[in-house]
């Protein structure tokens, strides 16, 4: 079977898309279950008192958010190397398997949370494993749809539903188990590892459904995709290019790791000043300047059409930095806001209403995902029975934990909503709204990339405006408060709408705008933008105590209101320029 012959994938389809897309859907779902399940617990565990029924490490918020920002940043930075290794050496499939194994070990190491070294080892394994896993899943999707570009936006949005189905279940179940004094943090971290292992087994035993896509690269199957002869001018990396990239990578990596270490301990790798700049600020500014230089140098050497399209990607990536710097407050400052500033204790009619709502929003999405699972079984069980069996085992365990959780919640006289519960709202809204948005992108009303990005940023800013208003009654410097949960619910709704306009379609545009030989590397560059945004999110979120003490909680959230809205309006004004740079790509 030729790698170019992708039409055969559409002969066996589920909901109008190839069965292989839904194999990736469930594999990505288990990986996101583990990632977001752990992420939901990390800051809460680090900041929880060392005393009590479920003791944590008792860290200051600034320290916890520094390590959170570095971890989430590195998790998006390593895909650059992972994508390159897959492209040149081992292929997408083996990269996915290796990444899944490393992440399984990382989660299990974190389950030994009583020992600091096991926690740090676990975070390191998760970062490396994610580098192998993440870019190569999306690369497989890109190759599968290379002859059907009109369906790519819809395919990536469905794939993004798998991401959020996993995030929903991970935050719901790992959060419930981890926050529960009857279980504890170790069980929450361990549960994430179990389902990462299930995802690896399911993918490994079903991978032949992709034909030759993702195999170890050879001269025979390294065919150029999405590329015309005039665009095919090669641009190999020179020794100077590689040296500059190495310097930028080393300095950037050292800065990201040094940030939490210098806060948590007395060690500071950049303990010097250059003029009015601290050593840390000088290092990161220098690294960014070098990176911009090498990027401009590389782009100027491509053919005009490809050069313009890469500039368009950089513009979209620039927006992505600001989007994730704000959006990733969900795992940091918004989690702290849910834990310490929100009235989560319910009783009487409020408890009854919450139990009913929680049951519906848990069981209905799980039933929908199970329905998709059954549809996939009907198409693939005959050829890939073992992979499907592992997938079924995972869902049996999921249903068992959900039934146990709901039974416990109904038996309690009073209900305290877990702080991690609010994080599931983002995934719930995506699971609900993604099919509608996917159809919109496939219709004649599909807007341009810049409009999608601009409007998405404005929606994100509106979500923070809601939090700014909701927190207006909190006194300056307060460490605890009890504001209504409605403000977090509304904020997550607007944030989700903004995410649907920006994140999934970004991956689709990258795959459309660059040649096939550059897809994995360009996905890596895209994840670099997300990495910068994530680290910025941790740094800005770590200022919550300082800003609320000097000004107010409202001021803190207004920062994340004005910046996204301003960026959104600016990028919409750039629409004609970006459209021209894309040279006909829609």
């Amino acid at each position: 079977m030729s790698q170019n012959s992708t039409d055969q994938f559409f002969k066996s389809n589920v909901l109008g898309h190839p069965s292989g897309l839904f194999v990736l859907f469930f594999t990505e779902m288990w990986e996101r279950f583990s990632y977001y399940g752990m992420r939901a617990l990390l800051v809460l565990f680090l900041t929880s008192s060392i005393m009590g029924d479920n003791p944590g490490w008792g860290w200051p918020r600034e320290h916890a958010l520094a390590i959170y920002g570095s971890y989430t940043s590195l998790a998006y930075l390593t895909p650059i190397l992972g994508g390159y290794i897959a492209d040149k050496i081992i292929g997408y499939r083996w990269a996915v398997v290796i990444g899944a194994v490393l992440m399984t070990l990382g989660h299990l190491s974190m389950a030994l949370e009583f020992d600091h070294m096991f926690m740090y080892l676990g975070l390191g394994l998760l970062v490396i494993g994610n580098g192998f896993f993440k870019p190569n899943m999306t690369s497989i999707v890109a190759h599968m749809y290379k002859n059907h570009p009109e369906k790519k936006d819809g395919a990536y949005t469905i794939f993004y539903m798998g991401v959020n189905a996993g995030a929903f279940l991970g935050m719901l179940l790992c959060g419930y188990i981890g926050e529960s004094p009857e279980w504890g943090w170790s069980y929450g971290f361990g549960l994430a590892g179990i389902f990462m292992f299930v995802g690896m087994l399911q993918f490994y035993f079903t991978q032949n459904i992709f034909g030759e896509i993702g195999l170890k690269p050879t001269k025979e199957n390294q065919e150029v995709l999405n590329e015309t002869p005039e665009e095919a001018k090669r641009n190999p990396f020179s020794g100077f290019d590689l040296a500059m990239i190495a310097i930028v990578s080393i300095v950037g990596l050292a800065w990201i790791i040094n940030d939490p270490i210098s806060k948590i301990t007395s060690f500071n790798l950049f303990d010097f000043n250059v003029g009015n700049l601290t050593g840390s600020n000088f290092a990161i500014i220098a690294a960014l300047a070098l990176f911009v230089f090498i990027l401009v140098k590389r782009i100027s050497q491509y053919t005009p059409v490809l050069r313009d399209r890469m500039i368009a990607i950089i513009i979209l990536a620039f927006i992505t930095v600001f989007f994730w710097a704000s959006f990733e407050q969900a795992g940091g400052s918004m989690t702290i806001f849910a834990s310490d500033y929100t009235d989560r204790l319910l009783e009487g009619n409020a408890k009854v209403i919450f139990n009913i709502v929680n049951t519906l929003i848990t069981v209905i999405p799980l039933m929908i995902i199970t329905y998709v699972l059954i549809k996939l079984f009907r198409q693939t069980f005959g050829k890939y029975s073992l992979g499907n069996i592992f997938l079924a085992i995972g869902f049996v365990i999921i249903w068992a934990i959900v039934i146990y959780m709901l039974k416990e919640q109904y038996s309690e006289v009073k209900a305290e909503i877990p702080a991690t519960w609010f994080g599931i709202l983002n995934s719930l809204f995506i699971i609900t709204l993604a099919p509608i948005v996917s159809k919109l992108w496939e219709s004649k009303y599909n807007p341009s990339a810049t409009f999608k990005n601009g409007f998405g940023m404005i929606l994100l800013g509106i979500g923070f405006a809601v939090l700014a208003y909701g927190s207006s009654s909190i006194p300056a410097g307060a460490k605890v408060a009890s504001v209504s949960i409605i403000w977090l619910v509304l904020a997550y709704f607007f944030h989700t709408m903004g995410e649907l306009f920006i994140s999934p379609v970004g991956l689709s545009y990258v795959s459309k705008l660059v040649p096939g030989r550059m897809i994995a590397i360009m996905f890596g560059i895209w994840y670099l933008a997300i990495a910068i945004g994530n680290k910025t999110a941790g740094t800005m979120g770590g200022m919550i105590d300082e800003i609320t003490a000097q000004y107010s909680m409202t001021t803190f959230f207004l920062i994340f209101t004005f910046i996204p809205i301003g960026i959104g309006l600016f990028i919409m004004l750039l629409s004609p320029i970006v459209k021209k740079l894309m040279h006909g790509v829609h």
Side-chain angles (χ1 to χ4, degrees):
M1 179 174 61
S2 170
Q3 192 173 344
N4 274 336
S5 302
T6 60
D7 290 342
Q8 80 281 349
F9 293 123
F10 288 80
K11 295 178 181 178
S12 171
N13 68 77
V14 176
L15 304 178
H17 286 270
S19 299
L21 175 67
F22 289 90
V23 170
L24 297 173
F25 173 100
F26 284 111
T27 305
E28 183 74 8
M29 188 189 80
W30 295 127
E31 189 273 333
R32 292 291 89 181
F33 180 105
S34 66
Y35 176 85
Y36 280 98
M38 188 282 290
R39 193 199 76 161
L41 296 174
L42 183 60
V43 171
L44 290 177
F45 164 70
L46 293 174
T47 56
S48 291
S49 171
I50 58 175
M51 307 294 291
D53 295 332
N54 192 20
W57 282 4
W59 280 14
R61 293 170 180 174
E62 184 184 8
H63 295 182
L65 289 168
I67 202 166
Y68 167 80
S70 289
Y71 163 68
T72 55
S73 176
L74 288 170
Y76 283 97
L77 196 59
T78 50
I80 298 175
L81 182 59
Y84 180 82
I85 292 173
D87 262 354
K88 302 298 181 183
I89 303 173
I90 62 177
Y92 304 139
R93 292 193 210 170
W94 271 112
V96 168
V97 172
I98 290 170
V101 170
L102 289 173
M103 285 188 286
T104 299
L105 295 174
H107 286 297
L108 295 180
S109 180
M110 289 190 70
L112 303 173
E113 41 86 4
F114 53 83
D115 189 296
H116 284 55
M117 288 308 299
F118 279 111
M119 177 64 72
Y120 299 143
L121 174 63
L123 289 172
L125 289 170
L126 289 173
V127 164
I128 297 170
N130 187 77
F132 280 100
F133 188 96
K134 195 167 188 67
N136 299 301
M137 289 290 289
T138 46
S139 294
I140 294 173
V141 177
H143 281 262
M144 190 183 301
Y145 281 81
K146 69 179 183 292
N147 290 342
H148 297 271
E150 75 284 354
K151 295 183 74 69
K152 269 188 177 181
D153 283 3
Y156 276 110
T157 303
I158 289 174
F159 180 76
Y160 211 63
M161 282 185 67
V163 169
N164 285 278
F168 172 85
L169 293 171
M171 285 186 283
L172 179 72
L173 301 182
C174 292
Y176 172 74
I177 296 295
E179 284 194 76
S180 170
E182 289 78 16
W183 295 92
W185 308 111
S186 290
Y187 285 93
F189 291 134
L191 188 64
I194 290 171
F195 286 106
M196 185 68 259
F197 188 60
V198 169
M200 186 276 293
L201 292 175
Q202 178 239 333
F203 178 85
Y204 180 81
F205 290 107
T206 318
Q207 62 177 300
N208 288 337
I209 199 171
F210 305 116
E212 295 180 11
I213 292 176
L215 295 175
K216 183 177 179 180
T218 64
K219 290 183 179 180
E220 288 73 25
N221 66 17
Q222 281 184 320
E223 192 165 342
V224 175
L225 312 175
N226 299 337
E227 190 168 21
T228 60
E230 61 271 17
E231 291 176 329
K233 180 182 177 182
R234 301 287 172 164
N235 185 17
F237 286 92
S238 66
F240 176 78
D241 293 341
L242 294 174
M244 291 297 100
I245 291 172
I247 292 171
V248 170
S249 301
I250 292 170
V251 174
L253 183 63
W255 182 84
I256 290 173
I257 295 174
N258 180 72
D259 180 48
I261 290 177
S262 63
K263 290 181 171 69
I264 298 165
T265 71
S266 58
F267 177 80
N268 185 356
L269 185 63
F270 301 109
D271 189 14
F272 58 87
N273 293 320
V274 178
N276 294 326
L277 292 174
T278 64
S280 179
N281 290 338
F282 173 79
I284 196 60
I285 291 172
L288 286 173
L290 281 176
F291 177 75
V292 171
F293 168 76
I294 196 67
L295 196 61
V296 171
K297 177 181 179 295
R298 293 283 304 166
I299 289 175
S300 66
Q301 295 169 346
Y302 284 107
T303 54
V305 171
L306 183 54
R307 180 185 63 219
D308 287 351
R309 288 176 174 174
M310 290 182 71
I311 292 173
I313 291 175
I314 291 169
I315 293 173
L316 297 178
F318 178 76
I319 303 167
T320 297
V321 171
F322 288 93
F323 173 79
W324 289 103
S326 300
F327 185 84
E328 272 300 310
Q329 298 303 314
S333 62
M334 287 176 68
T335 296
I336 290 172
F337 184 80
S339 177
D340 297 339
Y341 297 95
T342 303
D343 184 7
R344 298 183 288 114
L345 187 62
L346 304 177
E347 55 186 326
N349 291 335
K351 176 184 179 295
V352 173
I353 293 171
F354 173 77
N355 284 342
I356 294 172
V357 171
N358 192 45
T359 300
L360 291 175
I361 67 174
T362 301
V363 173
I364 292 176
L366 192 53
M367 290 177 66
I368 294 172
I369 298 168
T370 304
Y371 169 76
V372 175
L373 176 74
I374 293 170
K375 296 277 286 186
L376 180 64
F377 278 3
R378 289 176 178 171
Q379 293 289 333
T380 63
F381 196 89
K383 289 185 178 181
Y384 309 105
S385 56
L386 192 55
N388 283 317
I389 288 170
F390 283 117
L391 184 55
I393 290 172
F395 267 81
V396 169
I397 297 172
I398 288 288
W399 273 107
I401 298 174
V402 165
I403 292 170
Y404 168 80
M405 178 190 71
L406 295 176
K407 177 178 175 292
E408 289 294 308
Q409 288 180 350
Y410 274 97
S411 66
E412 296 172 350
V413 177
K414 295 182 180 180
E416 184 174 28
I417 305 173
T420 51
W421 181 86
F422 295 95
I424 74 171
L425 295 173
N426 170 245
S427 301
L428 174 67
F429 290 137
I430 282 189
I431 293 169
T432 306
L433 300 171
I436 300 172
V437 176
S438 176
K439 290 299 181 182
L440 176 63
W441 294 167
E442 294 179 8
S443 73
K444 63 180 181 180
Y445 300 107
N446 186 10
S448 66
T450 45
F451 180 85
K452 290 173 185 174
N453 278 263
F455 195 61
M457 292 296 290
I458 291 171
L459 289 169
L460 179 66
I462 292 172
F464 281 108
V466 169
L467 286 178
Y469 179 79
S471 61
S472 59
S473 62
I474 300 175
K479 293 294 184 182
V480 292
S482 296
V483 302
S484 172
I485 65 173
I486 190 63
W487 306 117
L488 273 172
V489 173
L490 289 173
Y492 275 110
F493 172 77
F494 285 111
H495 289 185
T496 300
M497 291 302 297
E499 182 182 11
L500 280 171
F501 272 72
I502 293 177
S503 191
V505 294
L507 296 173
S508 178
Y509 275 105
V510 171
S511 68
K512 290 177 183 179
L513 289 168
V514 300
R517 62 184 167 85
M518 297 171 63
I519 283 177
I521 292 175
M522 288 309 296
F523 276 144
I525 297 296
W526 187 261
Y527 289 130
L528 172 61
I530 301 176
I532 296 171
N534 273 264
K535 183 56 191 171
T536 305
T539 302
M540 294 178 69
M543 299 170 66
I544 183 170
D545 286 337
E546 179 183 347
I547 293 174
T548 53
Q550 187 173 356
Y551 300 101
S552 66
M553 184 69 72
T554 295
T555 302
F556 177 79
F557 287 125
L558 281 177
I559 294 172
F560 297 101
T561 299
F562 294 134
I563 293 177
I565 290 177
I567 294 290
L569 293 173
F570 175 71
I571 194 62
M572 291 173 102
L573 293 175
L574 290 181
S575 288
I577 298 173
V578 177
K579 184 177 179 180
K580 184 177 180 181
L581 290 171
M582 288 184 174
H583 290 276
V585 172
H586 299 289

